Amino acid sequence: MLNSKQSVVITGANRGIGLGLCSLYLHYGWQVIATHRQGAISDALQELNKQYSSDLTLVELDVCDEQSIQHFAAKVCEEWSHISVLINNAGVSIDSKFGEWNQATFLNNFNANMVGPALVIQALSGLFEHNTKVIQISTGLASLQENIGADEPFDAYAVSKISLNLLTKRLANKAQTKSAIYCAISPGWVNTDMGGPEAPTSVAEVAQQISLTIESLTLEQSGSFLDSTGATIPW
Ligand SMILES: NC(=O)c1ccc[n+]([C@@H]2O[C@H](COP(=O)([O-])OP(=O)(O)OC[C@H]3O[C@@H](n4cnc5c(N)ncnc54)[C@H](OP(=O)(O)O)[C@@H]3O)[C@@H](O)[C@H]2O)c1
């Protein structure tokens, strides 16, 4: 059970895990700012907006567009004076197998999965309080030690998320930012457009696990890499 009347910003809430987290936090009575891209609000997100009109604010955000990040941050600052939790969930997995690699694949993964979250954190950092939780939705593919699925075409995606993980650790140790709690969380393999229908975990299940893991995070865990249940993943 989550404490109510706290505030969470969730990027990429139009579908998938972001939408599931949005729905769950609203169910527990949180104030939610959920982002969607310009012109793209799914029926499910619109439905939540009707059901929770006083607790949910929808804001446009394209994490690959610096101007969009600035507009989004200005809007969040108009609405709220602080943030309890920020979940950098928006992400892409643009796959390309060895032999077909190109610059665009690497740069587009990197831009959405690392540069975007970095600039979102910087733009919202004025709203962070002591113990604000900043969550980077990462992936098990980003564990250097485990190096899962090296034969799969996820190379550009995996390295972009490894960068996101290192960014998380650096923020946790930076004098300017370290009073907040920064954590990379892998959701595991989840049944979404990205994960595909064969994934063993439902969005509802993983949203519940991630929210409880976030709830239990302490400052001592800042800079850690966890699975959805809160177990440590080796770097
Ligand atoms: N599903 C899995 O098995 C799995 C496994 C490991 C990690 N993850 C991570 O979990 C997170 C959510 O994944 P998901 O499975 O829910 O993916 P998804 O179903 O493909 O949803 C991705 C969400 O991110 C948004 N998005 C993509 N690019 C964006 C951009 N440039 N600016 C703003 N929003 C953008 C999408 O918006 P639109 O609707 O407008 O396209 C969508 O709402 C991602 O970070 C992903 O890497 C997922």
Side-chain angles (χ1 to χ4, degrees), residues 80-102:
W80 292 349
S81 58
H82 70 276
I83 295 172
S84 312
V85 177
L86 163 63
I87 306 179
N88 267 321
N89 164 79
V92 294
S93 175
I94 305 163
D95 309 333
S96 179
K97 56 184 178 193
F98 181 70
E100 294 172 4
W101 287 355
N102 58 47

Side-chain angles (χ1 to χ4, degrees), residues 11-19 35-38 40-42 61-65 68 88-93 111-113 136-141 157 161 164 185-196 199 203:
T11 68
N14 198 38
R15 58 195 165 99
I17 296 169
L19 178 68
T35 82
H36 61 90
R37 288 197 268 192
Q38 189 176 26
I41 306 184
S42 63
L61 172 66
D62 181 340
V63 297
C64 295
D65 177 340
S68 171
N88 267 321
N89 164 79
V92 294
S93 175
N111 209 9
N113 296 337
Q136 318 270 40
I137 299 298
S138 183
T139 168
L141 296 175
Y157 174 70
K161 293 281 191 177
L164 179 72
I185 296 183
S186 164
W189 187 20
V190 185
N191 185 338
T192 63
D193 292 339
M194 186 186 292
V203 164

